[in-house]
Amino acid sequence: MLQWSLLTYTAVSVLYATQHVVLVPTTKFLFSLMVAPASVPNGRPSAQDNSIRTQGITQRSSEDYSTSALDNDILSDLNWPDGLSSDELLYWPSSTLSQALGMNHSDSTPILEETFLSKAFSQSMHPTRIIPFYYKASGTADIDDITITTLVTSNRFKVFKQLVENYQGPISVTVHIPFPLHVSSATLDANHPSIVALNNLHDLYHSSSYFSTYVDVHLALSPFAAAARAGSGKMHNSEPGEGEGGRQFNVWRNVARLFARTEFVLMLDVDFAVCTDWREAVRAALSATRADTGVRPTGHNQTLAIIDVADQLRKGEVALVVPAFEYVKQDDGVDQKTFPRSKQDLLRLTHGSPATVTSFHASWTPGHNSTDYVRYYSLPPDSGQVYKVTQYQSAYEPYVIMSKRVTWCDERFTGYGGNKAACLFEMYLSGVSFYVLADHFLIHQSHKYEEEARREERKYNRKLYADFKEEACLRYIERHAREGTLRTSAGIAVQDECRKIKNVARIANQLIGG
């Protein structure tokens, strides 16, 4: 037995040493030769190299991929995910003034992409790894187009495909993939949830030409979900997306918006159907304002045309609300093919006896009642009109078309409750006005909710949101006081909203001296 044990130990040691001393370094070296970009002057990668890198390591076209190719060429690579992009450089030019003065600062200054991303999302839960343009769309984007920005977990791939095929326009999506710490894909078995999710994402992206034409995919890898902590040598029977811990919705929203390739975005949840062509209506108004610089009215109560607020939309002063609806009975809202596609058809369902469609989350009126559905119903179909939200309140969380230059979402919010409302609250305090598109709408596709998880997350976020509102109010009151704009319409709006919050008035008085 002793001799047998010694022989076994010796054999295992030889195999282990062979793998880690010979095979692994050799594999890494050969792989680096295959994917390393050609050398360029000053070490700066070419546009072609960057394009190749952002499409997922290799130079294959999307048609060349299959699930087996993904397994063999990418996920089995011992460098994945560490070898994707962390050593790439971003370049920052000197100011035009220093160049004009001949200060010899014409060379661009490099910064590691990993350093930039760590700062850009410094408030995220750590460790979180952001991989921009894991898949990059081949289609070009008009700067005045509207990119849908959204976030997806692996249990929502099916409904995401419906959104892509429905919209047929630019989409920037953050996909959350639970991934264990300090491992490479080669150390995980084929049934590990992380590998299953990546393979499913690959199959999804190559299931329709609309993906490769319109959709930019950015990965968010984090170890917080139960799936990421599962042992690599076990079989995993859980459903895809189950146990999605560390749901950093606002981080994922910011990632999708930062890397959107158009100036305007719609911040949308993935399980909504695009029912009307608001995209073309807004684009037409934006196009018209490029040749029309006249000042247009933005009064409180009047009904306006989209073109009347398009210039303010371009400046980041206005966001356009696309009203949201849902089916009264959950079973009626499963098949998007049955959803209405015009306001006239929508009104028949909302005013039926009984009504089959109602405002989204009608049982939680603070979330969407500021949209003023009564006024929305009163305006005739095809009016081409918008109207201003005049009764804003801090729980309001509509789906809005906006400029990328508006304030970013606070990244401290994790899980359900208050996260999207926080985005809209800071937008409102910053001076953004909300106008409702009277001809257009979205409809929620029904699905089951993880009520137990949501209840605990809302409990935590309720306190966080209260603290956040107080912090935001003090910041904006102090800003208006410093700039002498407390008496302007924007300053008065901040004061009106923030005086609702206990202790803000007292602290603000101390801050600005009355």
Side-chain angles (χ1 to χ4, degrees):
M1 287 294 294
L2 181 60
Q3 289 178 336
W4 182 84
S5 298
L6 288 172
L7 286 172
T8 302
Y9 176 79
T10 302
V12 171
S13 300
V14 170
L15 290 173
Y16 181 86
T18 301
Q19 179 183 356
H20 289 273
V21 177
V22 179
L23 294 179
V24 171
T26 302
T27 301
K28 288 183 177 181
F29 175 73
L30 292 176
F31 187 82
S32 67
L33 290 179
M34 288 187 290
V35 302
S39 59
V40 293
N42 300 321
R44 184 170 183 173
S46 67
Q48 181 181 8
D49 297 328
N50 281 328
S51 175
I52 293 169
R53 176 179 60 78
T54 56
Q55 294 184 47
I57 300 179
T58 69
Q59 300 185 35
R60 297 183 177 202
S61 66
S62 60
E63 291 79 8
D64 293 333
Y65 277 107
S66 66
T67 299
S68 60
L70 180 69
D71 291 336
N72 294 334
D73 291 351
I74 298 178
L75 294 187
S76 63
D77 168 44
L78 296 175
N79 287 325
W80 205 102
D82 288 337
L84 274 182
S85 60
S86 61
D87 59 347
E88 293 293 335
L89 295 176
L90 303 176
Y91 289 82
W92 303 91
S94 303
S95 69
T96 53
L97 175 62
S98 66
Q99 295 181 41
L101 295 174
M103 298 173 66
N104 297 321
H105 293 161
S106 58
D107 291 340
S108 297
T109 302
I111 182 174
L112 281 173
E113 179 184 294
E114 186 176 30
T115 303
F116 171 79
L117 292 175
S118 68
K119 174 57 181 172
F121 307 107
S122 58
Q123 292 188 40
S124 64
M125 292 172 60
H126 290 282
T128 295
R129 175 77 182 280
I130 304 299
I131 301 174
F133 297 105
Y134 180 71
Y135 292 116
K136 186 175 182 180
S138 60
T140 57
D142 178 0
I143 193 67
D144 276 354
D145 208 340
I146 302 162
T147 297
I148 288 180
T149 61
T150 190
L151 46 99
V152 178
T153 51
S154 58
N155 59 332
R156 306 301 292 154
F157 282 172
K158 181 178 179 181
V159 73
F160 179 48
K161 182 175 182 179
Q162 291 177 301
L163 176 64
V164 171
E165 294 182 337
N166 228 354
Y167 187 53
Q168 297 183 27
I171 294 177
S172 178
V173 59
T174 305
V175 179
H176 178 227
I177 301 293
F179 204 85
L181 277 176
H182 310 308
V183 300
S184 69
S185 56
T187 65
L188 303 178
D189 66 71
N191 293 316
H192 191 282
S194 303
I195 302 302
V196 171
L198 286 164
N199 278 321
N200 288 343
L201 172 61
H202 176 86
D203 291 342
L204 172 73
Y205 197 82
H206 296 92
S207 66
S208 167
S209 60
Y210 293 128
F211 279 89
S212 59
T213 303
Y214 298 117
V215 182
D216 293 328
V217 174
H218 322 291
L219 294 191
L221 306 180
S222 71
F224 308 113
R229 298 191 296 271
S232 61
K234 300 177 182 178
M235 294 297 289
H236 308 282
N237 299 317
S238 60
E239 290 295 319
E242 190 174 301
E244 290 277 2
R247 288 177 276 214
Q248 303 181 76
F249 295 138
N250 280 359
V251 173
W252 303 343
R253 287 188 177 103
N254 285 346
V255 170
R257 196 213 302 185
L258 179 63
F259 296 112
R261 291 188 283 160
T262 64
E263 175 59 28
F264 304 96
V265 297
L266 169 65
M267 186 169 64
L268 186 65
D269 291 342
V270 72
D271 46 10
F272 274 83
V274 176
C275 298
T276 57
D277 197 0
W278 43 260
R279 177 189 177 200
E280 183 55 38
V282 175
R283 289 186 68 186
L286 288 167
S287 177
T289 59
R290 283 201 175 277
D292 178 8
T293 58
V295 177
R296 295 179 177 275
T298 54
H300 259 62
N301 297 313
Q302 73 229 63
T303 304
L304 307 171
I306 301 176
I307 192 173
D308 293 324
V309 296
D311 193 49
Q312 285 73 33
L313 175 67
R314 189 183 300 282
K315 294 175 181 177
E317 299 170 354
V318 156
L320 299 175
V321 176
V322 188
F325 294 83
E326 66 181 349
Y327 278 83
V328 175
K329 294 181 180 179
Q330 190 176 75
D331 290 345
D332 292 339
V334 173
D335 185 3
Q336 293 189 14
K337 294 177 182 177
T338 65
F339 290 3
R341 301 294 168 179
S342 69
K343 184 175 181 179
Q344 185 174 1
D345 291 339
L346 174 73
L347 292 178
R348 279 198 289 265
L349 299 178
T350 57
H351 290 72
S353 184
T356 56
V357 172
T358 186
S359 58
F360 184 57
H361 282 176
S363 60
W364 170 241
T365 54
H368 289 266
N369 65 348
S370 292
T371 296
D372 191 352
Y373 285 92
V374 173
R375 188 169 186 185
Y376 176 84
Y377 295 141
S378 71
L379 295 173
D382 302 320
S383 67
Q385 295 176 324
V386 298
Y387 60 90
K388 190 172 185 178
V389 171
T390 58
Q391 300 297 321
Y392 174 83
Q393 46 75 43
S394 62
Y396 191 40
E397 50 180 15
Y399 299 98
V400 296
I401 299 168
M402 59 193 183
S403 166
K404 285 176 66 175
R405 69 183 67 190
V406 303
T407 56
W408 297 87
C409 295
D410 191 288
E411 295 176 353
R412 291 173 293 177
F413 289 87
T414 301
Y416 292 99
N419 54 80
K420 180 147 42 64
C423 302
L424 277 294
F425 183 76
E426 183 149 6
M427 284 173 59
Y428 180 76
L429 293 189
S430 72
V432 173
S433 298
F434 300 109
Y435 282 81
V436 180
L437 293 170
D439 289 336
H440 301 283
F441 59 91
L442 304 160
I443 294 186
H444 181 249
Q445 178 171 315
S446 303
H447 62 87
K448 293 181 179 179
Y449 291 103
E450 301 174 77
E451 289 302 335
E452 185 175 348
R454 285 170 178 251
R455 185 163 47 250
E456 291 303 313
E457 291 169 347
R458 287 193 182 106
K459 186 176 179 181
Y460 164 79
N461 281 335
R462 193 175 300 117
K463 182 179 185 306
L464 177 59
Y465 191 31
D467 293 341
F468 165 76
K469 288 194 295 182
E470 186 172 307
E471 294 170 12
C473 278
L474 292 174
R475 279 191 285 111
Y476 282 95
I477 289 172
E478 194 274 338
R479 177 187 295 182
H480 282 294
R482 187 177 65 250
E483 296 175 354
T485 54
L486 276 171
R487 303 295 182 186
T488 65
S489 58
I492 291 172
V494 169
Q495 293 182 70
D496 288 344
E497 186 60 34
C498 293
R499 65 163 48 101
K500 303 173 186 176
I501 302 173
K502 186 178 179 180
N503 293 328
V504 165
R506 177 178 57 82
I507 300 173
N509 283 335
Q510 296 173 357
L511 181 69
I512 64 177

